[in-house]
Amino acid sequence: MKTKNLIIGAWLSWIVLAQQLAEKGENVLIIEKRKHIGWNCYDYYDENWILVHKYGPHIFHTNYEDVWEYVNRFSEFTNYQHKVLWFIDWKLAPIPFNLESLYTLISPEYAKEIEKSLLKHFNYNQRVSIIELQEKAKQVDDKNLEFIANYVFEKIFKNYTIKQWWIKPEEINPEVLKRVPILISKDGRYFQDKYQWMPKYWYTKMFEKMLDYPNIKILLNTDYKEIITDIEYEKLYYTWPIDYFFDYKYWKLEYKKTLYHFETLNKKQFQQIATVNYPNDYEFTRITEFKLFYPENPTFNIEKTVICKEYPGIGEIEAYPVLNKENEERLKKYTQEAKKLKNVYFLWRLANYKYFNMDQTIKNVLDFIN
């Protein structure tokens, strides 16, 4: 078997890469270990024609104009503004933590005092990380800021981190803490990006259209190591975990595992919003109700719905890298090994042991090609 470009894995970034190379007239062979394309973005219709995301919810959002123009070549989109509620002290409050969350969870009198302190030291509509809030509280000696910073840390971040990652918060890379924002506004959306949409039909349909080129060949349900010696190629683009490429020479990199438990319920709707997170209660971290992503779907009003409960630390799906000191040291060793190879590219999510949003993966590929 002979090809100019060999791509290991059919995740979103590699689908974009294959499309771009094929559009330039180059031959591409994709080898995918799973039995479907799209990796964790894979979706499908169940027996009730409810569109389900097999590996948890994926919402497309971006501020990149070139990315938005690119995806519109392959799919129509429906407007969807993602909101998330968190179950805290038996109340449902929007996250990121904002002024609406403040008045939902804190007594009105004290919430008003905290709001005054927030608006005194930060601009309205500003996103502030928990670290920035803690530092500002110390700098200006404001007890209100100190209280709300500690409240958000304890009620939202601390237990959720322990549950999600099975490690103590102080063992997490500080970069993760920066992803825990407080929004100084009443904007209840989880993302504030300019474009927030869902594919009108489904992600998998969009991926299939992206790969619809005669010079793209795909082998599914195949481990590349079983056939790599039979393939002649000029360039290899690798998307699977970098430690697997080197046969775990420096030990295995850790990933947060998740078990996705699906339930079909005989009711029109289970919860008031598509995603509800549970930082402190129950064994699962969140419940997703997929129908609520697609209110225009003909099956929206049927007396059936599908929910997914996510149980952390178990299962076989490796979702997110565990960014602690030990794994970062291992990654450095693998990266040095990778630099010694010619015409082998370790790019994007798994191969870089780094989390990327969907739009970031597309942006990286477009920039790489250009």
Side-chain angles (χ1 to χ4, degrees):
M1 193 179 303
K2 188 175 182 180
T3 186
K4 182 172 184 177
N5 301 285
L6 176 60
I7 296 178
I8 306 301
W11 196 59
L12 174 57
S13 53
W14 302 103
I15 292 173
V16 177
L17 177 63
Q19 185 278 323
Q20 289 283 281
L21 292 172
E23 194 170 57
K24 295 176 180 293
E26 299 186 15
N27 292 324
V28 179
L29 172 63
I30 298 175
I31 303 176
E32 169 56 53
K33 194 171 185 178
R34 292 180 180 174
K35 61 182 180 180
H36 58 74
I37 61 173
W39 198 247
N40 286 354
C41 292
Y42 173 71
D43 54 3
Y44 65 95
Y45 285 95
D46 74 352
E47 64 275 11
N48 296 304
W49 283 100
I50 297 174
L51 186 55
V52 174
H53 297 187
K54 184 176 177 63
Y55 306 100
H58 286 78
I59 295 90
F60 183 82
H61 57 97
T62 188
N63 284 320
Y64 298 123
E65 294 289 343
D66 55 342
V67 170
W68 179 238
E69 291 175 5
Y70 176 78
V71 295
N72 272 271
R73 292 176 55 189
F74 305 100
S75 177
E76 296 179 56
F77 287 81
T78 59
N79 186 15
Y80 172 76
Q81 304 293 309
H82 189 49
K83 296 181 180 180
V84 178
L85 294 175
W86 285 52
F87 186 75
I88 301 171
D89 293 339
W90 297 91
K91 297 178 181 178
L92 291 174
I95 294 296
F97 191 95
N98 60 19
L99 297 181
E100 184 180 343
S101 312
L102 177 65
Y103 281 92
T104 299
L105 298 171
I106 307 297
S107 65
E109 296 79 9
Y110 193 29
K112 189 172 183 178
E113 293 301 315
I114 295 172
E115 181 182 8
K116 288 180 181 178
S117 292
L118 289 170
L119 293 174
K120 178 180 178 181
H121 299 289
F122 301 101
N123 296 324
Y124 188 81
N125 211 32
Q126 184 176 348
R127 291 175 71 93
V128 183
S129 74
I130 188 69
I131 289 182
E132 291 174 304
L133 194 59
Q134 291 171 334
E135 291 175 348
K136 178 63 73 172
K138 293 178 181 178
Q139 178 185 341
V140 300
D141 192 26
D142 189 313
K143 298 301 181 183
N144 293 331
L145 294 184
E146 181 181 0
F147 170 83
I148 199 60
N150 291 335
Y151 181 90
V152 173
F153 179 83
E154 291 290 330
K155 293 288 186 178
I156 297 174
F157 179 75
K158 180 180 177 181
N159 290 337
Y160 192 75
T161 299
I162 295 172
K163 182 194 285 191
Q164 185 89 313
W165 299 91
W166 287 28
I167 58 178
K168 298 177 182 178
E170 55 266 26
E171 296 175 342
I172 287 284
N173 188 306
E175 290 298 317
V176 178
L177 264 177
K178 293 179 181 179
R179 294 173 62 93
V180 184
I182 290 178
L183 184 59
I184 317 298
S185 80
K186 292 186 178 181
D187 188 343
R189 297 175 301 164
Y190 193 75
F191 307 111
Q192 280 73 47
D193 292 16
K194 181 178 180 180
Y195 301 107
Q196 298 185 51
W197 302 73
M198 297 291 279
K200 184 175 181 180
Y201 303 102
W202 40 330
Y203 283 110
T204 303
K205 187 72 173 178
M206 180 174 73
F207 300 153
E208 290 173 348
K209 189 173 182 180
M210 294 167 70
L211 295 173
D212 188 20
Y213 287 81
N215 48 336
I216 294 179
K217 306 299 180 185
I218 305 173
L219 292 177
L220 297 177
N221 205 26
T222 303
D223 188 330
Y224 81 98
K225 286 190 176 183
E226 297 176 357
I227 63 171
I228 189 68
T229 56
D230 299 324
I231 302 174
E232 293 183 39
Y233 58 87
E234 294 182 21
K235 295 180 180 180
L236 187 152
Y237 301 91
Y238 186 84
T239 182
W240 286 356
I242 190 172
D243 53 352
Y244 180 72
F245 184 90
F246 293 106
D247 297 315
Y248 307 118
K249 181 178 181 179
Y250 301 111
W251 206 249
K252 193 177 188 306
L253 294 167
E254 296 176 278
Y255 288 87
K256 182 187 79 68
K257 293 187 177 182
T258 302
L259 175 66
Y260 301 95
H261 176 71
F262 293 86
E263 299 177 17
T264 300
L265 307 176
N266 294 317
K267 56 173 59 180
K268 180 181 176 181
Q269 189 168 332
F270 173 76
Q271 57 193 23
Q272 68 184 75
I273 203 166
T275 304
V276 178
N277 286 18
Y278 294 81
N280 308 306
D281 304 279
Y282 305 105
E283 294 179 345
F284 45 82
T285 54
R286 66 179 173 182
I287 297 178
T288 299
E289 186 171 6
F290 297 102
K291 278 174 60 175
L292 305 186
F293 290 134
Y294 310 98
E296 297 178 1
N297 193 298
T299 59
F300 182 79
N301 291 314
I302 68 172
E303 292 296 319
K304 294 277 187 179
T305 192
V306 177
I307 64 171
C308 175
K309 296 177 181 177
E310 296 182 29
Y311 293 86
I314 57 177
E316 299 180 353
I317 306 303
E318 297 182 331
Y320 305 101
V322 179
L323 299 177
N324 58 27
K325 184 177 180 180
E326 291 78 10
N327 287 316
E328 289 174 351
E329 288 300 319
R330 291 171 192 157
L331 180 61
K332 288 180 182 179
K333 294 178 181 179
Y334 285 122
T335 301
Q336 290 302 316
E337 292 283 349
K339 290 180 179 178
K340 299 175 185 178
L341 302 176
K342 293 184 179 180
N343 296 323
V344 179
Y345 301 88
F346 296 83
L347 303 171
W348 304 294
R349 194 167 184 171
L350 294 178
N352 274 277
Y353 197 63
K354 184 177 181 181
Y355 179 79
F356 291 105
N357 290 327
M358 283 190 288
D359 68 324
Q360 291 173 315
T361 65
I362 297 173
K363 177 65 173 174
N364 288 344
V365 179
L366 296 179
D367 290 346
F368 175 77
I369 288 293
N370 292 330

